[in-house]
Amino acid sequence: MRRARRINRELAEVYPYAHPELDFENPFQLVVATVLSAQTTDLRVNQTTPALFAKYPTPEDLAAADPEEVEEILRPTGFFRAKTKAVIGLSKALAEQFGGEVPGRLEDLVKLPGVGRKTAFVVLGNAFGRPGITVDTHFQRLVRRWKWTEETEPDKIEATVGGLFPKSEWTMLSHHVIFHGRRICHARKPACGACPIAPLCPAYGEGETDPEKAKKLLKYEKGGFPGQRLKPPQAYLDAGGKPAPPLGAG
């Protein structure tokens, strides 16, 4: 527990601007964007959702949409037919069961089509300020590398890791870990030689340990590349991060 909390403190210093990397302006946009982020990058979702929300700004609008028109907009995100069915379905549920408002309770969110615990905690933590752990692929990979848990099922990872930290830290913990997984501790070739928590990491050496070679593996603001969001928070820009390009740019 002491080592886990120290790692989180170190990551908080490295990523004081950590944030959800999906663009959103309200809970409805966030829940839709999170559903769309399955099997693709947040960047691709962020490049796609401006057109979607411009045409269908409310759950009622999307619930009444022509599926073929929605499919055409969502095509760049992959699995666009299934995603179209999910976002139209959840929009209908919001309109019919919740007065067009995204509910702020876990038990209600997970009843929406396409919404599981991971998506629900993203929405609760970032749209409602209610603590939750987001167990995505980056989070799963890193907490096992760090020996915080040996579990492989998301629900069990969530419970085990949650027990190591105060509940109030869960949302930002998720952001810190996911940011680190995207920027430095990659799946295939982690940049161990450029990692700020290398002295604390039991998996040090799995990736490139030469500092110069490791630097070349860095992504997003650490490597000088744009991040995932077209409209990132000001703190991210102040830290040297760059907004991502819109769909079709460059």
Side-chain angles (χ1 to χ4, degrees):
M1 181 183 290
R2 286 196 300 271
R3 183 161 58 92
R5 291 186 177 185
R6 187 176 171 194
I7 286 176
N8 186 41
R9 287 196 299 272
E10 295 279 345
L11 293 179
E13 292 186 10
V14 177
Y15 310 108
Y17 47 80
H19 57 269
E21 293 194 87
L22 288 166
D23 283 320
F24 70 99
E25 296 177 358
N26 54 55
F28 172 61
Q29 290 188 2
L30 181 57
V31 70
V32 169
T34 308
V35 169
L36 296 179
S37 69
Q39 305 296 315
T40 191
T41 63
D42 285 358
L43 170 58
R44 181 60 71 183
V45 174
N46 291 338
Q47 291 172 326
T48 305
T49 50
L52 181 72
F53 296 134
K55 191 165 187 177
Y56 311 107
T58 70
E60 290 82 0
D61 293 325
L62 192 50
D66 180 338
E68 289 187 4
E69 293 182 6
V70 177
E71 285 179 3
E72 196 56 38
I73 295 174
L74 299 186
R75 187 179 293 272
T77 68
F79 302 97
F80 58 92
R81 290 189 180 88
K83 290 179 180 180
T84 294
K85 184 177 180 180
V87 298
I88 289 179
L90 77 84
S91 296
K92 286 180 178 177
L94 290 175
E96 295 169 2
Q97 300 172 32
F98 298 100
E101 299 291 331
V102 176
R105 300 195 312 161
L106 176 66
E107 52 267 42
D108 292 329
L109 284 167
V110 295
K111 293 176 184 175
L112 298 172
V115 177
R117 288 178 69 88
K118 184 191 86 169
T119 296
F121 282 131
V122 170
V123 175
L124 289 172
N126 298 292
F128 294 100
R130 295 175 183 169
I133 292 178
T134 303
V135 185
D136 73 350
T137 55
H138 300 286
F139 194 93
Q140 292 184 50
R141 180 176 74 253
L142 268 62
V143 298
R144 287 201 294 268
R145 275 182 177 165
W146 294 336
K147 310 298 183 188
W148 290 3
T149 181
E150 293 182 356
E151 300 290 353
T152 56
E153 296 178 21
D155 290 3
K156 292 181 179 179
I157 292 173
E158 175 197 319
T160 305
V161 174
L164 299 175
F165 297 89
K167 193 172 183 178
S168 60
E169 296 182 10
W170 286 358
T171 299
M172 285 310 299
L173 167 72
S174 301
H175 291 326
H176 296 152
V177 174
I178 292 167
F179 251 59
H180 192 61
R182 284 180 167 161
R183 285 153 179 76
I184 295 176
C185 195
H186 311 135
R188 292 192 180 91
K189 205 168 185 181
C192 294
C195 181
I197 61 164
L200 299 171
C201 182
Y204 176 78
E206 283 188 14
E208 180 57 65
T209 57
D210 179 86
E212 291 305 314
K213 291 180 180 178
K215 280 183 184 179
K216 295 177 181 178
L217 300 173
L218 300 182
K219 295 181 180 178
Y220 307 127
E221 76 283 356
K222 298 300 177 187
F225 307 112
Q228 302 267 298
R229 291 183 70 159
L230 279 70
K231 298 178 180 179
Q234 188 59 45
Y236 179 76
L237 299 173
D238 292 343
K242 301 175 184 177
L247 193 63

